[in-house]
Amino acid sequence: MSIFRQLGQAPTKVTTKRFNLSGYERMPSFIQRFLNHLAAKHYSEQTAQRYLYDFLDFFRWVEAASASEVDPSSVEIDSFVEFDHAGAEAYATYLALELDNAPSVINRKLSSMQSLFNHLIETGVTAYNPFQAVERPKRAKRNPIYLTEQEWLDFSTLVRSNVGMSDREASWYERNRDRDFLMIQLLGLTGMRVSELVGLDWNDIDRESGTIRVIGKGNKERVIPIASPLEPLLDAYRRDGSGPLFQSERGKRISVRTVQHTLKGHIDRLKPYLPFLTHKQVTPHKLRHTFASRLAMSGIDVLTIQQLLGHESVATTQVYAHIGDEKKKQAMIGLR
């Protein structure tokens, strides 16, 4: 065999870990290679971690269905590719009937397995994907949950205050007030994903052109205009003007988890004062919905919203068109 042919052969043991994933070492080598492939394709670490958790769920089912102990790390590829369509259908049934997973969860777990087998096909390991023709449950179409204009304004007003805080909590908040408020306002006034937010550096903020450069999914870059309410917040928050935009107390780039935890803390303290926070369960992603929904209700076209959100397909953005249509209907009903 020539050296060039050898270069194309998959190694028998993975020695490089691209992501710091929980449970990575428990995976068989061919799945570790798939996860490393995701890193090379610029998938986010969060996405790779979700894949890994889905694979762990699959192996738990294999263990239960076979009534034998299964160590995922010891699974051989030759044995794994013997899995057939009947097995894939049985797994889908298990997810639906035994675990009572929601359609969206079932579809995600089946897609994870299908993606793995597609990778094995692409790398010449197998020619068959048992998950290719598995029937997927239909997802109920739901309008996105978002804050109305007034709800957003009320929330923005109170989140910066000390309402619902003890003196000690207020003292602690004072240290991070500008940072926390800017994070929340950026989520609600740019529609960026929380992963994009934590990835921002100071040099991504171009005050001269009034834009923010965002690196989105697939390492794709887009530019978002700076809404006027953000300008004084950026001025008040500005530190040395270099490195990560948002840093922890230790000077490290903050994590997605930190943003989620911070927002949840503010939501919890304000629920007694803003009842809508209880049933709307506001998260960073719902602030993204809020941004897009406000644009739609203002008459902004779907293609523009798609570009601002960084959606790959306009079909994903189309859900916001419905919100704009409802606004138009209400306007027509009000005509005399």
Side-chain angles (χ1 to χ4, degrees), residues 289-309:
H289 288 325
T290 296
F291 169 76
S293 300
R294 292 175 71 196
L295 291 181
M297 287 187 286
S298 298
I300 304 300
D301 64 275
V302 173
L303 289 177
T304 300
I305 298 175
Q306 175 198 4
Q307 293 169 358
L308 290 171
L309 293 179

Side-chain angles (χ1 to χ4, degrees), residues 34-143:
F34 171 69
L35 295 171
N36 290 345
H37 167 74
L38 297 182
K41 293 296 184 180
H42 303 291
Y43 281 69
S44 71
E45 188 162 321
Q46 281 182 297
T47 298
Q49 186 68 69
R50 283 195 293 269
Y51 271 104
L52 193 152
Y53 286 149
D54 289 343
F55 297 147
L56 284 174
D57 284 344
F58 173 77
F59 285 120
R60 290 190 189 101
W61 169 75
V62 171
E63 188 171 69
S66 63
S68 58
E69 189 173 337
V70 176
D71 176 9
S73 65
S74 65
V75 173
E76 298 290 340
I77 185 62
D78 290 342
S79 173
F80 185 77
V81 296
E82 290 178 352
F83 191 74
D84 59 15
H85 178 73
E89 289 284 3
Y91 180 52
T93 300
Y94 165 79
L95 294 175
L97 300 184
E98 295 294 326
L99 295 189
D100 196 25
N101 284 162
S104 59
V105 176
I106 295 172
N107 286 332
R108 191 200 71 225
K109 291 181 178 181
L110 295 179
S111 292
S112 293
M113 296 305 301
Q114 184 172 334
S115 295
L116 173 60
F117 272 94
N118 282 340
H119 177 69
L120 295 177
I121 291 172
E122 291 168 3
T123 52
V125 175
T126 184
Y128 172 62
N129 191 330
F131 287 89
Q132 188 68 45
V134 174
E135 186 175 355
R136 308 295 178 89
K138 292 183 178 180
R139 297 178 59 177
K141 290 186 177 181
R142 296 183 300 174
N143 289 332

Side-chain angles (χ1 to χ4, degrees), residues 143-199:
N143 289 332
I145 297 174
Y146 61 92
L147 300 184
T148 65
E149 184 82 16
Q150 191 58 52
E151 288 171 345
W152 166 251
L153 294 175
D154 291 345
F155 173 63
S156 295
T157 298
L158 288 190
V159 77
R160 198 171 192 178
S161 72
N162 294 341
V163 169
M165 289 184 175
S166 65
D167 290 342
R168 183 176 181 180
E169 289 170 334
S171 177
W172 175 262
Y173 185 34
E174 192 60 40
R175 300 165 59 181
N176 294 304
R177 189 187 307 273
D178 290 342
R179 185 199 71 175
D180 288 6
F181 190 63
L182 178 58
M183 287 193 309
I184 292 170
Q185 292 297 297
L186 276 170
L187 290 170
L189 293 174
T190 68
M192 67 178 68
R193 302 175 179 92
V194 65
S195 58
E196 297 167 345
L197 178 81
V198 301

